Amino acid sequence: MTTVTKTVIPVAGLATRFQPATKAIPKAMLPVVDAPSIEYVVAEAAAAGISDALLITGRGQGAIADHFDSAPELEQALADKGDEERLAKVQATNDLARIHVVRQGEALGLGHAVLTAADHVGEVPFAVQLGDDLIDPRDEILPAMIAAQAELGGSVIALMEVAPEQISLYGSAAVEPVQTHLPDTDVVRVSYMVEKPAPEDAPSNLAMIGRYVLGPGIFDVLRTTAPGRGNEIQLTDALQNLAASGTHPVHGVVFRGRRYDTGNPLDYLKTVVSLGADHPDLGEDFLAWLRDYVAGR
Ligand code: G1P
């Protein structure tokens, strides 16, 4: 039985790096092969036993929640055509999770977005998934993070080694070894975190990737966390305040699997190509075409 039943998915950002593609549609609805990126994120939570997903949305983002409703007309049309395969895919999204929505109101930063989840979450540990990061379903990380939080308490972040020159795109963490009873999981104690440091100021090349299992103690800290980098209320700063408090430990699970970034157009393209090449129906034909295409360039 999982100890974590709720996930919080902040999607209210303005997606400035994607304009004008996302001027009128939410970035979370951009297709990654044949499903919008939000579907991958909610499916990842469902695979980890999390059946309650709270979307933190902003203006004009109703389509994200609509995606998880049943669509009787569409389902009937597919049934009439005898397209059982697509019908099954459409219906599968209806049952992935119970979807809830809270409005962020003002885009004051990731920490502020997470704080808007406080009433819904209550006094239990919960997951946070950032929609820009997709985790390959073959390399899941949430179950290990949930197990680490259950054993160690406090909060757990996901870490991944990146090239030193990339660290300024991420939160960065200083870590120490820690013993756990978790098999095959690389868990560390996090002693310090900083949001998007210059490479020369980074405590390590361990980047915080967009998965968290947070103790409810984060909410009180977020209420008093001042705006930080970019004049936004940063989740990283609140976690650093918790780690420094000595009463709420922060641990990290080091991820070595496949992670895809959909946060900017170039990485998004790489994500679509990678997942397209692996796609069970399209992959073989796509990869054959891609090989020819590259050979001809
Ligand atoms: C956010 C977090 C950052 C984290 C990153 C992972 O930044 O603030 O700590 O490393 O997600 O993708 P963003 O990329 O939303 O600016």
Side-chain angles (χ1 to χ4, degrees):
M1 250 324 260
T2 175
T3 51
V4 172
T5 59
K6 294 179 183 175
T7 186
V8 173
I9 308 175
V11 288
L14 292 175
T16 48
R17 284 174 292 185
F18 254 100
Q19 299 301 349
T22 51
K23 197 173 159 200
I25 56 158
K27 184 171 59 153
M29 292 305 292
L30 290 181
V32 175
V33 192
D34 56 358
S37 59
I38 189 68
E39 187 177 318
Y40 291 79
V41 176
V42 174
E44 178 199 354
I50 301 177
S51 55
D52 179 310
L54 178 68
L55 307 172
I56 315 291
T57 67
R59 190 173 305 172
Q61 294 185 315
I64 305 175
D66 289 351
H67 181 69
F68 297 95
D69 283 347
S70 70
E73 267 181 44
L74 172 63
E75 289 169 35
Q76 191 59 52
L78 290 168
D80 291 347
K81 280 172 67 180
D83 192 341
E84 296 297 327
E85 201 180 314
R86 286 202 181 80
L87 177 62
K89 283 187 179 172
V90 165
Q91 287 176 332
T93 59
N94 309 347
D95 302 324
L96 271 180
R98 283 188 310 284
I99 302 292
H100 305 265
V101 174
V102 136
R103 309 275 294 201
Q104 192 173 353
E106 283 177 284
L108 300 180
L110 176 59
H112 175 257
V114 171
L115 181 54
T116 63
D119 288 345
H120 181 81
V121 167
E123 289 299 314
V124 289
F126 63 103
V128 174
Q129 296 169 276
L130 306 189
D132 284 355
D133 292 292
L134 302 187
I135 302 293
D136 195 297
R138 296 162 291 187
D139 302 327
E140 54 185 13
I141 184 173
L142 279 176
M145 296 176 72
I146 292 167
Q149 200 282 335
E151 178 170 333
L152 300 163
S155 290
V156 175
I157 63 174
L159 295 169
M160 190 168 185
E161 273 185 40
V162 298
E165 65 274 15
Q166 294 277 307
I167 196 71
S168 57
L169 300 172
Y170 299 94
S172 170
V175 304
E176 297 161 4
V178 70
Q179 289 295 323
T180 71
H181 297 101
L182 303 166
D184 308 322
T185 303
D186 189 356
V187 185
V188 289
R189 188 179 172 96
V190 180
S191 53
Y192 176 70
M193 281 152 283
V194 57
E195 179 70 4
K196 302 198 177 89
E200 61 274 20
D201 300 329
S204 77
N205 66 338
L206 284 172
M208 298 167 67
I209 57 172
R211 297 292 179 273
Y212 308 79
V213 175
L214 303 175
I218 192 78
F219 293 126
D220 273 346
V221 177
L222 281 169
R223 284 187 188 99
T224 57
T225 298
R229 204 183 155 81
N231 204 29
E232 295 188 342
I233 298 170
Q234 296 290 351
L235 181 58
T236 302
D237 294 347
L239 283 162
Q240 165 56 20
N241 292 342
L242 276 178
S245 74
T247 55
H248 181 119
V250 178
H251 291 91
V253 169
V254 182
F255 182 64
R256 297 200 167 79
R258 285 159 282 195
R259 162 186 171 265
Y260 310 101
D261 187 352
T262 64
N264 64 77
L266 179 61
D267 285 319
Y268 169 78
L269 270 179
K270 294 179 188 171
T271 299
V272 173
V273 170
S274 303
L275 291 173
D278 279 347
H279 191 278
D281 304 331
L282 308 171
E284 202 176 306
D285 288 349
F286 176 58
L287 206 50
W289 172 83
L290 190 61
R291 286 199 180 99
D292 282 353
Y293 176 77
V294 170
R297 294 289 289 187

